[in-house]
Each structure stands twice: as structure tokens, then as C-alpha cells.
Amino acid sequence: QVQLVESGGGLVQAGGSLRLSCAASGRIVGSWPMAWFRQAPGKEREFVAAISWNVVNTYYADFVKGRFSISRDNAKNTAYLQMNSLKPEDTAVYYCAAHVRGLLIAPTTSVEYDYWGQGTQVTVST
């Protein structure tokens, strides 16, 4: 069993920055891909960014390229999402996820992820 706990969300003005953290416990996830997804009110959960276990591969949704950066510290069993140049449309609950079932490098679809955190709210004001 894996527990994922996100932190770092909050209220920020447009153009500002936030850094989300996802701490894993219960099982070492250092060998598995991890990702961030988000869900805005009334919308489907969508992919934001993913990272392979060895940090070699990273993938981003087009709408965050150049603004967000995913990283991880396997020694701390923690993944991060640095979010810069935030826009009001980035407002959502952000979830981290871990893929432990297979051999995919860094999946970009939610169905491929086995464990999810409870989410952290990010609100960007105008």
C-alpha cells in the first residue's frame, strides 16, 4: 500500500508561483513513475506532468509547457511540481499519482496510475 500526501497549494495572484510536494509513504516509490493531474470544478481530471523513476524522462501537457516543472527526490520519496507564471485557468485541485503496476516509463493517462493523493487546492486570482 502506498500513501501519497500533497502539500503546497494555496491562493496566489496571476503571474505568481507555487511549489507542490507529494510525499509518499508505506512503500518505496523511488522506482516508479509519478505524475501530477488536476481537476477544475465541472471538468474532467486532466494530465499535467509525469516523470520517470530515474528522472530521465519528463512529459508535460501543452498548456503548462514552459511554466511548470516536475521533479523528484527519490531519497526523500517525494515528487514536486514547480508552477510559475500561474494563470486563473490553472485553478484546480492538484493530485499526485504513482504508477507501480507495470513497466511504463511515465504514463500520461490517469487509468495507468495505481495510487492517488487526496489533492491540494490551487487558486489563482486575477
Side-chain angles (χ1 to χ4, degrees), residues 61-124:
D62 287 342
F63 54 77
V64 302
K65 284 182 179 178
R67 299 190 298 125
F68 291 11
S69 177
I70 189 171
S71 62
R72 66 190 298 164
D73 184 338
N74 289 339
K76 296 182 179 179
N77 234 15
T78 301
Y80 305 95
L81 185 67
Q82 178 66 44
M83 304 187 296
N84 300 326
S85 302
L86 283 161
K87 305 175 181 180
E89 51 264 44
D90 293 320
T91 295
V93 177
Y94 284 71
Y95 299 90
C96 70
H99 168 87
V100 303
R101 77 181 78 159
L103 301 177
L104 296 179
I105 294 175
T108 60
T109 55
S110 60
V111 294
E112 297 292 348
Y113 285 88
D114 306 288
Y115 296 99
W116 294 82
Q118 82 291 347
T120 186
Q121 177 70 47
V122 172
T123 302
V124 184

Side-chain angles (χ1 to χ4, degrees), residues 12 14 18-19 40 44 59 61 65 68 79 91 116:
V12 64
L18 284 173
R19 188 193 194 204
E44 297 284 322
Y59 302 96
K65 284 182 179 178
F68 291 11
T91 295
W116 294 82

